[in-house]
Amino acid sequence: MAIQQNGNSSTCVVEQPIELQDISSYISKPQDVIVAGSHTSLRLSDTKGMQDNDPVGNLPSPTTQAPAKPERWNHPRSNLYRTMAAFWSFVVMGSNDAAYGALIPYLQEYYHLTFLVISLVFLSPLVGYTASALLNNSIHLKFGQRGVAVIAATCHLIAYIVISVHPPYPVLVVIFMLAGFGNGLADAAWNAWIGNMANPNEVLGFLHAFYGLGAVLAPLIATTIVTKGNRLPWYNFYYVMIAMAFIELASSTTAFWRETGAVFRAANPRTGDTKDNRMKEALIRLPHARVTWLCAIFLLGYVGVEVALGGWIVKFMLEVRDGEEFASGMTATGFWMGITVGRIVLGFVTPRLGEKLAIAIYLPLTMALELIFWLVPQFYVSAVAVSLQGFFLGPLFPAAIVAATKLLPRHLHVSAIGFAAAFGGSGAAIFPFAVGAIAQAKGVQVLQPVVLVLLGVILLLWLGLPRIHKKQE
């Protein structure tokens, strides 16, 4: 003990050694934390041996920190390459789905099958879509967008190689499940990613326009190969699909190689304190579950309409409208061209009207055109009506994705939108199969009332969504 004298006062100081504790065990890999009002940053992180790959981020952002601006499709620079890779992936997906309709008559003839049995090629991808809906969020958390890019493109490539050797029909049905899984996974991932960008209606419009482009090219190429190319067998078309899937694998893997699971988890932290995993939160916990399921069933019906029309239109025009082979095949091309143009043009109209109002206008117009298609028994009237239907159907899928991004918090976008997109994609299997099954007994003309009823149902579902405001973060 020492006594220090300072003028008239004295201070008693106890000299005792001070022990400094080692706090290095509390500090590990760096993570940026910006201190408000400072020109420096403090780098902290979670413990190195973190067991939970889906941590809950409970700490609020500093009130002085401006919210991050959404990324653009061409900024940062790497987004340009990723966006182009996603666009090409949608070309492959569109070609995959639209090829069924153009090839159905030739598959039926080649394998000597009935309407009901040949319709299994529509139903079998349902298994793949269902699996992708359930696994999408887990694949993102573990492998990131890199995993999606590699797995989806590889599924496409393997499926097309097997189909090109024209195996027995049961093998064909099974292998379409693999193609469906690839479609569902890529569909969910790239929709959720682009839906969070600036100007999502416009960018998603272009994304789905590339799906439409693939759907335009596939019937055109397939019909030309079979009817004009010295009447080559139907499976020659899948040589083209192999080349497209190989390009998809190379471009997607290269563009998204740095987008690992760790990168995804860091960019999409959970913002609530619930202990549920993200999928359970999106599908069971209100109010988010209401939005997820309404969007999922809406997309189920929408995709059902789209692929039922695109898939059976050739058969309908051949048998009910007495069209020639090539002209009937081009009707499918006209339908998908309408979808492509609609997604580009109306992608700029929809955000100005608002998603809720815009779709409430497009659907009644589509229903009116469906009535014309059904009730006026003229080949060219039907061809024009179905093309215009495609035009107004085009923006429905992108608008539903944008609505979901505005109604749901960001940490649920991949799980909820991914589930809705993949679940909706199963409509490409269920309803075209249903049309084929009913057509077995009643004829392919049942396509029209089935489509009209589906359009009415999805209009009611759309009107059941909550009012859409600005994006919720």
Side-chain angles (χ1 to χ4, degrees):
M1 183 172 64
I3 299 176
Q4 294 182 358
Q5 199 75 21
N6 184 12
N8 294 326
S9 65
S10 62
T11 304
C12 181
V13 179
V14 178
E15 293 181 347
Q16 192 171 8
I18 299 174
E19 181 181 355
L20 297 178
Q21 294 184 356
D22 182 11
I23 63 168
S24 61
S25 61
Y26 298 98
I27 304 176
S28 62
K29 290 188 292 187
Q31 175 181 340
D32 289 350
V33 179
I34 307 301
V35 180
S38 171
H39 296 287
T40 62
S41 64
L42 180 64
R43 296 179 174 268
L44 300 174
S45 84
D46 302 323
T47 57
K48 186 175 182 179
M50 182 180 65
Q51 298 296 319
D52 185 5
N53 284 334
D54 187 14
V56 179
N58 290 321
L59 293 177
S61 300
T63 55
T64 56
Q65 185 177 349
K69 291 183 179 179
E71 293 184 354
R72 304 185 67 85
W73 69 272
N74 58 352
H75 184 79
R77 183 78 173 178
S78 57
N79 273 4
L80 174 62
Y81 305 113
R82 293 171 191 154
T83 303
M84 293 301 106
F87 284 177
W88 180 255
S89 183
F90 265 62
V91 171
V92 176
M93 290 162 54
S95 299
N96 178 89
D97 289 349
Y100 299 143
L103 295 175
I104 279 285
Y106 310 107
L107 283 168
Q108 191 174 13
E109 180 183 352
Y110 184 85
Y111 288 106
H112 308 290
L113 301 172
T114 63
F115 273 124
L116 181 61
V117 178
I118 198 65
S119 296
L120 288 173
V121 299
F122 290 115
L123 188 61
S124 64
L126 175 61
V127 177
Y129 273 105
T130 303
S132 69
L134 297 175
L135 296 175
N136 168 61
N137 189 60
S138 297
I139 290 172
H140 271 84
L141 288 171
K142 190 165 187 178
F143 304 111
Q145 291 174 320
R146 175 205 288 181
V148 173
V150 173
I151 295 170
T154 301
C155 287
H156 285 150
L157 186 59
I158 293 172
Y160 302 147
I161 290 172
V162 174
I163 296 169
S164 70
V165 300
H166 47 97
Y169 186 69
V171 177
L172 199 68
V173 171
V174 171
I175 206 64
F176 275 129
M177 298 178 189
L178 190 62
F181 182 76
N183 267 27
L185 199 59
D187 195 13
W190 309 149
N191 269 301
W193 177 57
I194 290 181
N196 279 306
M197 288 186 176
N199 304 315
N201 271 293
E202 291 86 340
V203 184
L204 278 172
F206 275 93
L207 178 72
H208 287 269
F210 276 92
Y211 176 95
L213 177 62
V216 168
L217 293 174
L220 179 62
I221 295 170
T223 303
T224 302
I225 286 174
V226 176
T227 64
K228 302 293 184 181
N230 298 320
R231 299 195 71 85
L232 294 170
W234 62 270
Y235 51 81
N236 282 267
F237 168 74
Y238 281 93
Y239 300 146
V240 177
M241 294 299 295
I242 290 171
M244 293 173 67
F246 182 79
I247 295 172
E248 179 192 17
L249 179 60
S251 60
S252 295
T253 303
T254 303
F256 289 98
W257 186 253
R258 295 181 181 273
E259 301 303 304
T260 61
V263 172
F264 174 79
R265 293 193 301 271
N268 296 272
R270 291 175 61 176
T271 54
D273 57 1
T274 176
K275 300 299 182 184
D276 296 333
N277 63 42
R278 301 185 195 209
M279 185 63 75
K280 185 176 180 181
E281 189 180 351
L283 298 183
I284 297 177
R285 300 299 180 199
L286 293 173
H288 304 321
R290 175 191 174 193
V291 175
T292 302
W293 281 106
L294 279 174
C295 288
I297 300 171
F298 174 85
L299 292 177
L300 178 78
Y302 163 74
V303 175
V305 169
E306 180 185 77
V307 181
L309 270 174
W312 286 105
I313 185 64
V314 176
K315 195 74 174 175
F316 179 88
M317 298 301 271
L318 282 169
E319 297 194 357
V320 180
R321 296 292 185 254
D322 299 318
E324 296 179 354
E325 282 189 350
F326 187 77
S328 298
M330 289 304 99
T331 305
T333 299
F335 170 71
W336 292 109
M337 182 68 79
I339 282 182
T340 304
V341 174
R343 284 172 173 167
I344 294 173
V345 174
L346 296 180
F348 291 92
V349 176
T350 300
R352 285 157 180 77
L353 295 175
E355 291 81 17
K356 194 79 180 279
L357 176 61
I359 302 308
I361 294 172
Y362 301 154
L363 274 171
L365 289 173
T366 307
M367 294 171 74
L369 289 163
E370 175 58 30
L371 283 171
I372 294 172
F373 182 24
W374 182 9
L375 300 175
V376 181
Q378 299 291 330
F379 182 91
Y380 292 109
V381 172
S382 296
V384 172
V386 81
S387 297
L388 290 174
Q389 273 185 279
F391 179 80
F392 288 109
L393 282 171
L396 265 62
F397 200 119
I401 298 299
V402 173
T405 65
K406 292 181 176 180
L407 292 169
L408 294 169
R410 184 183 178 90
H411 75 278
L412 291 183
H413 286 178
V414 165
S415 51
I417 295 171
F419 175 83
F423 184 86
S426 64
I430 295 171
F431 294 109
F433 174 79
V435 169
I438 300 170
Q440 178 69 30
K442 303 293 184 181
V444 76
Q445 60 267 22
V446 299
L447 173 67
Q448 309 310 333
V450 169
V451 167
L452 190 61
V453 168
L454 279 176
L455 288 170
V457 169
I458 64 175
L459 175 59
L460 293 176
L461 288 168
W462 182 257
L463 295 176
L465 278 174
R467 182 176 297 177
I468 300 171
H469 298 290
K470 66 180 182 179
K471 283 193 179 183
Q472 182 187 123
E473 292 296 345

